[in-house]
């Protein structure tokens, strides 16, 4: 069983910063891509940032220059540093990991439980 545990969400004023963490644990052979998604009330879940096992990144246009995704492969952990936060960043943020459970096994997508980020104006 693979579990993703998120932390770091909370309430912050506009212009402030927050750092999210997500640690994967369980029967993990290898983690390929990891990412962060978010879902605001009444809206679809959207991609925030992705990072490959080699460190290549991709960001939503709305967060470029403000958010930074990184990972610690030794600890199966992905981070999202969020700076210059805006009220429109308010959402539940979900961690994603693409996991192989053994050699030659398919890649399975696992999700964290989500952590609330609220940005006040």
């Amino acid at each position: 069983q693979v579990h993703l545990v998120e932390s770091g969400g909370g309430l912050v004023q506009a212009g402030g910063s927050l750092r999210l963490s997500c640690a994967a644990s369980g029967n993990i052979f290898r983690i390929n891509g990891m990412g962060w998604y978010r879902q605001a009330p009444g809206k679809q879940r959207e991609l925030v940032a992705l990072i490959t096992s080699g460190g290549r990144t991709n960001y939503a246009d709305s967060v470029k220059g403000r958010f930074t995704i990184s990972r610690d492969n030794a600890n199966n952990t992905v981070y999202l540093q969020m700076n210059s936060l805006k009220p429109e960043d308010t959402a539940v943020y979900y961690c994603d990991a693409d996991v192989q459970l053994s050699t030659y096994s398919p890649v399975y997508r696992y999700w964290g439980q989500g952590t609330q980020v609220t940005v006040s104006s």
Side-chain angles (χ1 to χ4, degrees):
Q1 191 76 219
V2 175
H3 299 278
L4 304 183
V5 180
E6 303 177 6
S7 62
L11 176 65
V12 64
Q13 292 184 338
S17 298
L18 211 57
R19 191 183 193 226
L20 306 183
S21 300
C22 175
S25 62
N27 187 26
I28 298 171
F29 172 73
R30 185 176 186 269
I31 299 179
N32 297 325
M34 303 185 80
W36 290 94
Y37 293 74
R38 67 187 182 187
Q39 187 167 24
K43 297 185 179 295
Q44 295 182 354
R45 186 175 298 187
E46 65 175 353
L47 170 70
V48 177
L50 294 173
I51 185 167
T52 70
S53 60
R56 294 183 295 275
T57 59
N58 186 45
Y59 297 93
D61 288 340
S62 60
V63 307
K64 286 182 179 177
R66 299 188 298 120
F67 291 10
T68 303
I69 189 171
S70 61
R71 63 190 287 174
D72 180 354
N73 291 334
N75 293 291
N76 292 328
T77 302
V78 63
Y79 305 93
L80 185 67
Q81 179 66 46
M82 303 184 293
N83 298 326
S84 301
L85 283 162
K86 304 175 180 179
E88 52 261 44
D89 295 319
T90 295
V92 177
Y93 284 70
Y94 297 91
C95 174
D96 161 70
D98 297 328
V99 180
Q100 287 182 266
L101 304 182
S102 64
T103 305
Y104 308 121
S105 73
V107 177
Y108 295 94
R109 172 172 285 181
Y110 291 88
W111 294 91
Q113 77 287 349
T115 184
Q116 177 70 48
V117 172
T118 302
V119 183
S120 64
S121 60

